């Protein structure tokens, strides 16, 4: 990792995004009565309307053509959009099926994957202290995986899909909001078709029709506002990965699963035994080592000109 000072805006945007993601299980739990596919479709549609409307107001009708003219942007954003849609769908299903602790394990694994991708693909370098922190955190994740009680396929799928998403957004030179706008446009037609099919066949409840009652104004408002909560942290994340080292993003991401774990155990009443506590203790020790090393190196780095 470079000895230059870390971009503070990128750092704080990343922190804010991960905090918001960390408390999101409580939000989606309020929509437990709504089928998971319906929630994900509403997330896509409302976030697409929000982002596309803002881009149209900010840049005019040419924003899409200008964005797709960027080399590799078209197919890479199609791939990243598919990955994030899969991630959203699995995550919401897992939260409302009572697997919040396992989703937190997935997002504990994900930062380690980001560190590996940063080193292997982006050729970022870690010093000995940072490698030590990564090794300790890896030991904690291995302990959690071995002592979880069953193969943690939800956790591994969440980690792989979001890690790949972050890498693609790091590699494609597209402004964050424009990138999210293109991803949303790729997904909005299938999502809208799913919603219309559900409403016409009695599986939807956004509006009442015939003998099928609506979910209510409260659920409708939560679904619409879910589009805002979908867009904001993704925009922040995409902005952060372009401003700060990918390996640093990987370690900061431990904020989100820590908060998810607390939500699952303290609020939603999921189990958290001694073996899980040991694994999480390893991870927190690693975080402390990495954070102190980063703080000392940042203070010692010369200020950048300008």
């Amino acid at each position: 990792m470079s000895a230059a000072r870390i971009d503070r805006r990128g750092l704080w945007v990343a922190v804010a995004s991960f905090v918001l993601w960390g408390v999101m299980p409580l939000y989606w739990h309020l929509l437990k009565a709504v089928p998971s596919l319906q929630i994900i479709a509403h997330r896509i549609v409302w976030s697409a309307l929000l982002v596309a409307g803002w881009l149209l107001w900010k840049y005019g009708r040419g924003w899409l053509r200008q964005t797709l003219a960027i080399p590799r942007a078209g197919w890479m954003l199609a791939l990243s959009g598919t990955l994030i849609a899969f991630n959203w769908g699995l995550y919401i299903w897992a939260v409302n099926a009572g697997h919040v602790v396992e989703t937190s394990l997935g997002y504990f694994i994900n930062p380690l994957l980001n560190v590996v991708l940063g080193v292997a693909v982006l050729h970022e370098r870690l010093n000995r202290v940072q490698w030590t922190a990564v090794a300790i955190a890896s030991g904690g994740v291995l302990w959690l995986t071995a002592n979880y009680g069953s193969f943690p396929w939800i956790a591994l799928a969440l980690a792989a899909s979001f890690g790949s998403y972050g890498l693609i957004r790091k590699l494609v030179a597209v402004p964050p909001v424009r990138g999210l706008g293109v991803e949303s446009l790729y997904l909005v037609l299938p999502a809208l078709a799913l919603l219309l099919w559900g409403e016409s066949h009695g599986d939807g409840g956004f509006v009442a029709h015939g003998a099928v009652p609506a979910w209510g104004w409260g659920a409708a408002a939560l679904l619409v506002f879910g589009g805002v909560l979908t867009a904001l942290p993704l925009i922040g994340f995409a902005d952060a990965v372009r401003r700060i080292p990918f390996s640093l993003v990987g370690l900061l991401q431990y904020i989100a699963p820590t908060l998810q774990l607390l939500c699952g155990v303290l609020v939603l009443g999921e189990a958290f035994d001694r073996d899980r506590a040991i694994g999480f203790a390893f991870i927190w020790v690693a975080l402390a080592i990495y954070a102190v090393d980063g703080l000392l190196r940042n203070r010692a780095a010369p200020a950048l000109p300008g």
Side-chain angles (χ1 to χ4, degrees), residues 111-282:
L112 294 174
L113 178 60
N114 282 352
V115 172
V116 172
L117 291 173
V119 173
V121 180
L122 305 177
H123 307 295
E124 296 178 357
R125 291 183 293 179
L126 305 180
N127 61 31
R128 290 183 180 179
V129 175
Q130 292 166 335
W131 274 120
T132 300
V134 170
I136 294 173
S138 300
V141 170
L142 289 174
W143 174 273
L144 287 169
T145 301
N147 292 277
Y148 195 78
S150 61
F151 184 73
W153 67 269
I154 295 173
L156 295 175
L158 288 173
S161 58
F162 197 71
S164 300
Y165 173 80
L167 178 63
I168 292 173
R169 292 306 304 268
K170 178 76 172 180
L171 292 173
V172 62
V174 174
V177 184
R178 293 193 186 201
L180 179 57
V182 175
E183 290 172 345
S184 300
L185 291 179
Y186 279 127
L187 299 172
V188 71
L189 289 180
L192 188 59
L194 176 63
L195 290 177
L196 293 175
W197 188 91
E199 294 293 336
S200 64
H201 287 75
D203 294 325
F206 192 70
V207 295
H209 47 85
V212 180
W215 294 315
W217 286 107
L222 289 172
L223 288 169
V224 173
F225 191 68
V228 177
L229 295 181
T230 294
L232 288 180
L234 274 175
I235 292 169
F237 176 77
D239 183 50
V241 298
R242 297 181 64 215
R243 292 176 175 272
I244 61 179
F246 202 57
S247 50
L248 176 57
V249 174
L251 271 295
L252 288 174
Q253 275 186 270
Y254 280 120
I255 295 170
T258 299
L259 293 176
Q260 290 170 9
L261 173 70
L262 294 174
C263 289
V265 175
L266 300 180
V267 181
L268 302 179
E270 293 189 20
F272 187 70
D273 56 21
R274 182 180 63 87
D275 286 336
R276 295 182 184 183
I278 291 173
F280 281 83
F282 271 91

Side-chain angles (χ1 to χ4, degrees), residues 68 72-84 168 179 182-183 186-187:
L68 292 177
R72 304 183 300 169
W75 71 266
M76 291 187 76
L77 290 173
L79 180 57
S80 63
T82 302
L83 287 167
I84 199 61
I168 292 173
V182 175
E183 290 172 345
Y186 279 127
L187 299 172

